[in-house]
Amino acid sequence: MGIKEMLSRMPSILMLGAIYVAYVLIGGVVFWKLEGDLGQKDISLLLQNKKKLLTRYTCLNQEGLEAVAQVVQDASKAGLSLKGNYTSDGFWKFTSSAVFAATVVTTIGYGNMSPSSTAAQIFCVFFAVFGIPLNMVVLNRVGKYMLAIERNISDFLEVRTRRRRCTRFFVHLVSYLCGVVLFFVMPMIVFKLQEGWTFSQAIYYCFITLSTIGFGDFVADSNPDKVYPEWYSVLMASWIFFGLAWLSLLINHSIDILERLNTHFKQRWGGQKPPGEAGNTGIDNPNTQVKEEDEIKNPPITQ
């Protein structure tokens, strides 16, 4: 890329940077207004409850309260319940450990459980170093196959209807709706039944998980006071894997739409020529586009 070309792209880069910063700051203001007052109320309520607890149990002083809090915190981190006189397997069962491994390679990282031994921490580093790229490659391949199925259905219907734009729009719409039902609506119902969450909490958890944000405020299959069926962890792992592939495909479509809008505004306001008039180079080359579509329709088969 030459210096002149870099300078010509500077206004566009600066505009996108300004939009990005403004978007983040607006989000910060909204969260501040929505949660700021509630956070202060929660702190005041906690202080009042602490005072009532020390008043009620006179044998419990500040040092004892801190010791009790430490026990509760350690039990929560280990996945143990303090409500009854029984023991549980904790977090590190095989099924929950497998789900934890999946959250590592997918970079979700809820934070509700983490390795504590030195050997496990070192293994986690190497496991993530090789597992994250492997996960990205596999998800990319699965996403291409999903897109290939969608394109093949679209091509089949185009031949029958002879209406390309309407057919592609209809196929994309049906595909998105099916994905929403399969990866958001159905899991939302399952999580409500198994975890006791509200519908809003369940749909919130679905998006936070599949977008790999992973706050950790809601984590399925981690309540020590519940006994989960064995199929639950397997279902969760499958949902996370295929849901990530579908959502990454949806995000790629959104990126493509934003790039097209950016190109459109650059041509309209910047006085630049359309890609077809400026020369068929780079990503706008028709031969390249045909090649990419052929790769999507017929993904390479690997051994």
Side-chain angles (χ1 to χ4, degrees):
M1 182 184 296
I3 297 178
K4 291 184 178 180
E5 187 175 357
M6 291 178 61
L7 293 176
S8 65
R9 293 189 178 185
M10 281 298 294
S12 175
I13 296 173
L14 292 175
M15 183 181 69
L16 287 175
I19 293 174
Y20 176 80
V21 173
Y23 187 79
V24 172
L25 293 178
I26 290 172
V29 170
V30 173
F31 285 124
W32 175 42
K33 292 297 183 182
L34 292 176
E35 294 290 332
D37 294 337
L38 293 177
Q40 293 295 326
K41 291 180 181 178
D42 291 340
I43 293 174
S44 301
L45 182 61
L46 287 173
L47 292 175
Q48 290 178 7
N49 291 335
K50 174 187 173 183
K51 185 177 181 180
K52 291 179 180 178
L53 188 64
L54 292 174
T55 303
R56 181 175 181 180
Y57 301 98
T58 55
C59 60
L60 187 66
N61 55 15
Q62 179 66 30
E63 184 179 354
L65 181 61
E66 292 177 359
V68 172
Q70 185 64 45
V71 172
V72 174
Q73 183 179 359
D74 293 341
S76 176
K77 187 175 181 180
L80 299 177
S81 174
L82 297 176
K83 290 185 177 181
N85 295 322
Y86 61 89
T87 59
S88 64
D89 297 330
F91 279 143
W92 295 106
K93 301 177 292 185
F94 171 72
T95 52
S96 57
S97 298
V99 173
F100 169 76
T103 61
V104 171
V105 297
T106 55
T107 69
I108 295 174
Y110 291 120
N112 65 314
M113 57 188 295
S114 58
S116 57
S117 65
T118 303
Q121 290 171 351
I122 294 175
F123 173 75
C124 184
V125 171
F126 287 98
F127 180 74
V129 165
F130 293 100
I132 292 174
L134 176 63
N135 176 75
M136 294 178 65
V137 170
V138 174
L139 287 180
N140 183 50
R141 183 57 56 89
V142 173
K144 282 186 176 181
Y145 273 97
M146 288 182 176
L147 187 58
I149 295 173
E150 186 178 320
R151 290 284 178 86
N152 289 332
I153 294 174
S154 179
D155 292 341
F156 174 78
L157 294 177
E158 283 176 16
V159 174
R160 297 302 182 99
T161 61
R162 300 183 183 279
R163 294 183 178 181
R164 181 174 181 179
R165 291 187 176 180
C166 294
T167 302
R168 286 189 178 275
F169 174 78
F170 176 76
V171 171
H172 282 309
L173 180 61
V174 172
S175 175
Y176 294 154
L177 291 178
C178 290
V180 169
V181 172
L182 187 61
F183 298 115
F184 282 92
V185 177
M186 293 179 62
M188 176 185 66
I189 297 173
V190 173
F191 292 139
K192 184 181 187 303
L193 296 176
Q194 292 294 329
E195 304 291 342
W197 297 337
T198 64
F199 283 119
S200 60
Q201 291 172 340
I203 198 69
Y204 164 79
Y205 167 75
C206 289
F207 181 79
I208 293 301
T209 297
L210 295 185
S211 60
T212 70
I213 296 173
F215 289 128
D217 48 351
F218 292 94
V219 182
D221 195 22
S222 64
N223 191 340
D225 298 317
K226 290 182 177 291
V227 178
Y228 297 99
E230 292 296 330
W231 54 264
Y232 191 51
S233 297
V234 178
L235 181 66
M236 268 199 61
S238 303
W239 166 70
I240 288 175
F241 177 78
F242 290 103
L244 282 174
W246 175 80
L247 192 61
S248 64
L249 186 64
L250 184 62
I251 291 174
N252 286 334
H253 278 300
S254 301
I255 292 174
D256 181 62
I257 293 173
L258 291 175
E259 290 289 347
R260 290 176 182 271
L261 288 174
N262 180 43
T263 304
H264 173 74
F265 288 125
K266 282 171 62 178
Q267 293 171 3
R268 185 171 181 180
W269 294 343
Q272 298 182 8
K273 293 183 179 180
E277 298 179 11
N280 297 326
T281 59
I283 59 173
D284 295 319
N285 192 322
N287 295 328
T288 305
Q289 293 179 354
V290 171
K291 183 178 179 181
E292 290 176 352
E293 289 189 1
D294 290 339
E295 290 178 353
I296 292 173
K297 292 179 182 178
N298 303 297
I301 299 177
T302 56
Q303 298 294 334

